[in-house]
Amino acid sequence: MNIVTISGSPSSSSRLAALLAFVHESLAASGLSVDWINVRELPAVDLVCGNANSAAIQQATERVRNADAVIVGTPVYKASYTGLLKTYLDLLPMHSFEGKVVLPLAIGGTQSHLLALDYALKPLLAVLGATHILRGVFALERHVVKKPDGSVELDNEIAERLSAALVELVADVYNMSRTVYAGGGTTS
Ligand SMILES: Cc1cc2nc3c(=O)[nH]c(=O)nc-3n(C[C@H](O)[C@H](O)[C@H](O)COP(=O)(O)O)c2cc1C
């Protein structure tokens, strides 16, 4: 089972990165292979100028292609996903998320923008071919505590909600692969 996370935070001291680090550690502890696409590390000129064929973008796209599940994470910016995330998703080929389990993940400063997951991020995932989109996890800034020594800590509530979402994701990937096998077909 291959899982890839996509991080759409432009920040170098990102709270979203702390959530995704937890995701990676949890999945790796279960022996699962997890890949990471940090959009802020992709060449800015490729993202801004739409160079989908550059080597760096192609490598990232290959990771998405090989994944059974994709976890798409974004901070809420101006009541939506970040522009940075969109620059990368715009470069993905049509149907890139088809046949994959997709978990949306967002972090924001206010509960008022919880629905950004539903009205902004999920339609974007659907347009990329995702049909199996999990309910998603919305975290608040206060769930990711930055400590004076520079380290970060997740509170229990968000750790539990993330863990539950990962259990669901892994079970759904497993069930999808069994269904495909039972039908004798392939996902592509
Ligand atoms: C430019 C900008 C716009 C933001 N807009 C919103 C917003 O509309 N709603 C919200 O809940 N939080 C908003 N926030 C707060 C971020 O979502 C929050 O700080 C989040 O934890 C940032 O994640 P990061 O540290 O991974 O970048 C905004 C932050 C920035 C920098």
Side-chain angles (χ1 to χ4, degrees):
M1 186 184 298
N2 291 318
I3 301 170
V4 67
T5 63
I6 301 176
S7 168
S9 173
S11 167
S12 58
S13 59
S14 166
R15 283 188 162 85
L16 175 68
L19 297 177
L20 290 173
F22 177 88
V23 163
H24 277 245
E25 282 161 23
S26 303
L27 293 170
S30 302
L32 297 167
S33 150
V34 202
D35 231 327
W36 185 304
I37 298 170
N38 192 356
V39 182
R40 79 183 293 278
E41 289 173 359
L42 294 174
V45 72
D46 293 339
L47 296 169
V48 174
C49 299
N51 293 336
N53 293 324
S54 83
I57 301 295
Q58 285 289 308
Q59 276 170 19
T61 301
E62 189 62 19
R63 280 181 226 154
V64 173
R65 191 175 298 125
N66 292 333
D68 303 295
V70 187
I71 299 170
V72 182
T74 183
V76 178
Y77 271 19
K78 304 286 190 277
S80 186
Y81 44 75
T82 61
L84 182 70
L85 178 69
K86 186 70 160 53
T87 58
Y88 175 63
L89 295 185
D90 283 352
L91 299 182
L92 281 174
M94 296 270 288
H95 312 300
S96 282
F97 291 164
E98 207 171 271
K100 302 179 194 301
V101 178
V102 181
L103 173 63
L105 177 57
I107 182 163
T110 166
Q111 189 79 28
S112 307
H113 288 155
L114 160 73
L115 288 178
L117 270 179
D118 294 306
Y119 65 67
L121 187 54
K122 287 184 185 176
L124 177 59
L125 305 176
V127 103
L128 282 160
T131 53
H132 197 115
I133 305 174
L134 300 180
R135 189 159 46 128
V137 177
F138 183 84
L140 287 168
E141 273 176 14
R142 67 173 169 78
H143 290 131
V144 183
V145 181
K146 290 188 177 174
K147 304 214 285 200
D149 66 359
S151 63
V152 285
E153 200 170 81
L154 306 196
D155 72 13
N156 287 342
E157 182 201 325
I158 196 64
E160 279 170 20
R161 287 204 277 127
L162 279 172
S163 298
L166 294 178
V167 167
E168 191 184 3
L169 175 133
V170 170
D172 285 4
V173 172
Y174 180 67
N175 287 334
M176 273 172 77
S177 64
R178 272 167 36 120
T179 306
V180 168
Y181 178 73
T186 64
T187 47
S188 56

